[in-house]
């Protein structure tokens, strides 16, 4: 009889512990940031780099669950150095930390790559302790719209001769993510490598039907049916870094680029009536292509200002010279991205007054 009682008590304890340890993806104490589809609350989907989940917990161990094959994430535990994890096709649970000292801890996971083909999904966390109220979230907000430079394409590659790989892409170290961290801002990213304002890399001169503005209203890059609700995130600052792929291979139509830039700026103003909108040029533009894109953006911004929009701006990041090294396929290196972040951070401080 005594053994039966002990077994019953043990069953109750272990069942309770299992329930307490499991943290479903839709728990209200997880703070998310980025465009996320909640069609399945137990397994929310996302596709853009920079999507994040953050929580506080009390315990010594924390594990993350995701759809197998979701790809790479950067992980922050308390104030320790961030590290990278990979959900391969055979991984559904990943230990983020164990053996932590008893007490309160913070964990944040940030999607590090482009998910248009991987179609990642969060599936919650587990811990040996308990979930606490979420970390306080910054009131400063930014949206970055861009291409491979914003995605962090090849930023961890060793040579410009390396081809694209998810293993060397890391949005966490892109100029965009670094700028947001420097300013203490929450941010959303809408970006894909090779895409442009009116024309994607190597696309027809008359334009690509699936350029960034054409897909901008999607919650998920790969899903045309689910439209994004712009009321869910009203950024204070919007940074648009497009034009590099539009002018690729030196066969492009500057007038079409100008028309597309003008139209997209008007659309953004409609979505975000109070935002400061910054039209950028990135570091991969040089020579004639840089001249064309800056001329187009200068004209479009000047027109908007003349029409009464005083919250639209222009900023050019320094062209890539190679002195700071290269990432894959001649893309900016980690050090070049640092430089871009320093430049953009300084400019955004000027126009926002953020310290």
């Amino acid at each position: 009889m005594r053994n039966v009682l002990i077994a019953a008590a043990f069953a109750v304890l272990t069942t309770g512990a299992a329930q307490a340890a499991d943290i479903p993806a839709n728990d209200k104490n997880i703070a998310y940031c980025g465009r996320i589809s909640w069609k399945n609350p137990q397994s929310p989907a996302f596709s853009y780099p920079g999507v994040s989940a953050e929580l506080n917990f009390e315990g010594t161990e924390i594990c993350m669950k995701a759809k197998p094959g979701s790809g790479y994430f950067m992980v922050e535990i308390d104030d320790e150095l961030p590290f990278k994890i990979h959900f391969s096709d055979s991984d559904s649970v990943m230990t983020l930390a164990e053996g932590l000292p008893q007490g309160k801890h913070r964990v944040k996971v940030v999607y590090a790559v482009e998910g248009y083909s991987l179609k990642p999904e969060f599936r919650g966390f587990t811990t040996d302790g308990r979930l606490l109220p979420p970390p306080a979230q910054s009131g400063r907000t930014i949206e970055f719209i861009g291409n491979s430079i914003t995605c962090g394409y090849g930023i961890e590659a060793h040579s410009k001769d390396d081809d694209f790989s998810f293993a060397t892409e890391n949005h966490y170290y892109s100029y965009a993510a670094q700028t947001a961290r420097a300013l203490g801002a929450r941010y959303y990213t809408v970006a894909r490598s090779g895409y442009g304002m009116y024309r994607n890399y190597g696309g027809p001169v008359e334009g690509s039907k699936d350029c960034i503005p054409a897909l901008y209203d999607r919650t998920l890059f790969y899903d045309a049916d689910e439209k994004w609700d712009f009321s869910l995130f009203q950024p204070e600052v919007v940074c648009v870094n497009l034009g590099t792929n539009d002018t690729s291979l030196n066969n492009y139509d500057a007038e079409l680029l100008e028309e597309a830039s003008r139209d997209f700026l008007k659309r953004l103003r409609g979505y975000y009536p109070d935002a400061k909108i910054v039209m950028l040029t990135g570091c991969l533009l040089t020579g004639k292509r840089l001249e064309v894109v800056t001329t187009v953006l200068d004209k479009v911004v000047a027109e908007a200002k003349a029409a009464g929009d005083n919250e639209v701006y222009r900023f050019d990041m320094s062209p890539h010279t190679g002195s700071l090294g290269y990432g894959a396929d001649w893309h900016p290196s980690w050090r070049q991205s640092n430089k871009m972040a320093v430049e953009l951070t300084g400019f955004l401080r000027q126009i926002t007054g953020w310290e």
Side-chain angles (χ1 to χ4, degrees):
M1 182 66 177
R2 181 172 178 273
N3 290 337
V4 172
L5 291 174
I6 292 175
F10 179 77
V12 170
L13 288 172
T14 54
T15 301
Q19 291 174 342
D22 186 64
I23 304 168
N26 63 341
D27 192 291
K28 61 182 176 56
N29 288 312
I30 301 175
Y32 288 100
C33 196
R35 291 192 182 187
I36 299 174
S37 169
W38 290 95
K39 284 184 177 180
N40 181 353
Q42 299 300 316
S43 192
F46 51 100
S47 63
Y48 295 110
V51 171
S52 65
E54 186 176 17
L55 57 84
N56 287 330
F57 72 99
E58 189 176 74
T60 65
E61 179 179 310
I62 186 79
C63 299
M64 174 186 168
K65 297 185 290 184
K67 188 189 84 171
S70 286
Y72 293 88
F73 296 79
M74 290 295 290
V75 182
E76 299 175 3
I77 302 289
D78 298 331
D79 295 322
E80 300 298 323
L81 290 174
F83 58 92
K84 198 174 187 181
I85 61 171
H86 179 225
F87 278 87
S88 71
D89 290 338
S90 59
D91 295 317
S92 60
V93 181
M94 190 74 61
T95 298
L96 305 183
E98 56 187 357
L100 295 171
Q102 285 286 353
K104 176 183 174 182
H105 299 284
R106 178 189 69 89
V107 61
K108 182 176 183 179
V109 294
V110 182
Y111 197 52
V113 297
E114 303 169 66
Y116 55 86
S117 61
L118 301 175
K119 299 182 179 180
E121 296 177 12
F122 282 121
R123 291 185 175 168
F125 298 86
T126 61
T127 178
D128 63 344
R130 63 190 181 96
L131 188 60
L132 299 174
Q137 300 298 296
S138 172
R140 298 176 178 180
T141 51
I142 307 174
E143 180 169 277
F144 294 97
I145 304 170
N147 49 39
S148 57
I149 306 171
T150 303
C151 291
Y153 178 115
I155 202 169
E156 293 184 329
H158 297 295
S159 168
K160 62 183 183 296
D161 298 321
D162 291 345
D163 293 328
F164 174 79
S165 168
F166 284 127
T168 61
E169 183 172 57
N170 197 336
H171 171 77
Y172 189 86
Y173 295 117
S174 70
Y175 79 89
Q178 290 195 65
T179 295
R181 289 196 295 274
L183 293 169
R186 292 184 296 124
Y187 75 98
Y188 280 41
T189 302
V190 178
R192 179 168 172 181
S193 295
Y195 279 53
M197 182 71 79
Y198 99 96
R199 172 178 177 260
N200 300 335
Y201 182 83
V205 175
E206 60 271 21
S208 302
K209 293 182 180 180
D210 59 346
C211 55
I212 290 292
L215 307 179
Y216 180 68
D217 63 350
R218 297 181 180 186
T219 300
L220 303 171
F221 195 94
Y222 55 82
D223 185 354
D225 295 328
E226 186 174 0
K227 302 303 182 183
W228 176 244
D229 180 354
F230 287 94
S231 69
L232 295 176
F233 185 71
Q234 285 286 305
E236 295 175 75
V237 179
V238 179
C239 293
V240 184
N241 185 2
L242 296 170
T244 301
N245 292 305
D246 300 83
T247 54
S248 61
L249 308 183
N250 295 316
N251 59 334
Y252 50 86
D253 189 320
E255 291 185 2
L256 290 177
L257 174 60
E258 179 183 319
E259 180 182 348
S261 299
R262 182 181 297 111
D263 290 346
F264 193 44
L265 178 57
K266 289 179 180 178
R267 278 181 62 197
L268 291 173
R269 178 53 72 212
Y271 294 137
Y272 309 125
D274 301 318
K276 299 179 185 298
I277 303 177
V278 186
M279 305 298 283
L280 303 172
T281 61
C283 70
L284 294 184
L285 286 169
T286 59
K288 178 64 174 178
R289 295 169 60 220
L290 176 60
E291 180 183 340
V292 167
V293 176
T294 55
T295 298
V296 164
L297 296 183
D298 286 346
K299 181 179 180 180
V300 168
V301 168
E303 289 175 354
K305 286 183 176 292
D309 189 343
N310 294 315
E311 294 294 353
V312 60
Y313 303 85
R314 278 277 295 110
F315 186 72
D316 302 313
M317 291 178 280
S318 296
H320 200 346
T321 66
S323 62
L324 296 176
Y326 292 99
D329 292 325
W330 300 82
H331 278 71
S333 64
W334 194 331
R335 289 191 295 159
Q336 184 73 37
S337 297
N338 292 346
K339 180 178 181 180
M340 287 190 288
V342 170
E343 293 173 345
L344 183 57
T345 297
F347 178 74
L348 295 186
R349 289 191 195 281
Q350 291 176 19
I351 67 172
T352 61
W354 294 344
E355 296 296 330

